[in-house]
Amino acid sequence: MKIGIASDHAGFELKEYLKGLLEKEGYEVIDYGPEIKKVVDYPDYAEKVARGIQEKEIKFGILICGTGIGMSIIANKFKGIRAARCCCTYDAFLARQHNDANVLTLGGRLVGKELALEISKVFLSTSFSKGRHLRRVNKIKRIENEK
Ligand code: RB5
């Protein structure tokens, strides 16, 4: 499965850590940057991953800033993106099962590396349950299409 990852400066180290370990888990990881640790603006990197999903280059995205909040705000502005900021594995499980989230956002200043890896693995391996949740996600899509 192809996934995208990006960060700002506050999430850079976690991005590098997750990228390597998720590749070892068998995921094909496209790194949307930055390539080196430098001060950048998180909206620019959220946009790259959101466009990657819209253009079907990747199925899921992982976006990391200091808190995960800025990345989630921006990612959720893009049509077809359902970004969830997750702080624990249960968040990640339900974001996939109930919300069919396609972008995970993490706080590089809040979540430890090992927990972030576990959250990512749960997010990437949990399926959407559909059923009543599909009806709700379809309502999100309807509202999105009104814009
Ligand atoms: C950068 O200092 C910080 O504001 C950013 O990483 C993020 O936490 C914003 O939501």
Side-chain angles (χ1 to χ4, degrees):
M1 183 200 292
K2 262 193 194 176
I3 65 165
I5 195 165
S7 73
D8 70 356
H9 48 287
F12 183 79
E13 282 90 358
L14 185 56
K15 170 172 77 71
E16 295 299 303
Y17 175 82
L18 289 179
K19 193 172 64 173
L21 289 170
L22 291 173
E23 279 169 348
K24 279 190 188 151
E25 291 287 321
Y27 294 102
E28 189 177 339
V29 185
I30 299 180
D31 186 347
Y32 288 85
E35 283 179 18
I36 53 163
K37 187 168 181 181
K38 59 180 179 181
V39 175
V40 294
D41 297 334
Y42 59 83
D44 298 332
Y45 290 87
E47 179 175 6
K48 288 174 195 284
V49 166
R51 300 268 184 230
I53 292 175
Q54 286 180 330
E55 284 155 28
K56 301 195 190 311
E57 287 166 9
I58 49 173
K59 184 166 184 209
F60 292 121
I62 299 178
L63 289 168
I64 313 160
C65 59
T67 58
I69 296 172
M71 285 295 199
S72 69
I73 291 171
I74 296 297
N76 279 314
K77 302 284 181 201
F78 291 84
K79 190 170 173 178
I81 302 302
R82 288 176 300 283
R85 176 202 183 222
C86 298
C87 296
C88 66
T89 55
Y90 196 51
D91 278 345
F93 180 71
L94 291 178
R96 287 287 311 127
Q97 255 206 351
H98 288 200
N99 310 113
D100 198 18
N102 50 13
V103 172
L104 165 66
T105 77
L106 294 165
R109 291 176 176 156
L110 304 180
V111 183
K113 285 181 175 174
E114 287 175 18
L115 177 57
L117 178 62
E118 288 311 308
I119 291 171
S120 303
K121 288 197 308 198
V122 169
F123 186 88
L124 295 172
S125 63
T126 304
S127 300
F128 179 43
S129 341
K130 300 188 181 162
R132 67 188 188 280
H133 302 297
L134 179 61
R135 185 179 72 238
R136 293 161 188 164
V137 169
N138 281 339
K139 289 185 180 185
I140 295 173
K141 290 180 180 169
R142 179 178 54 72
I143 289 165
E144 204 173 44
N145 283 326
E146 281 173 8
K147 281 184 192 169

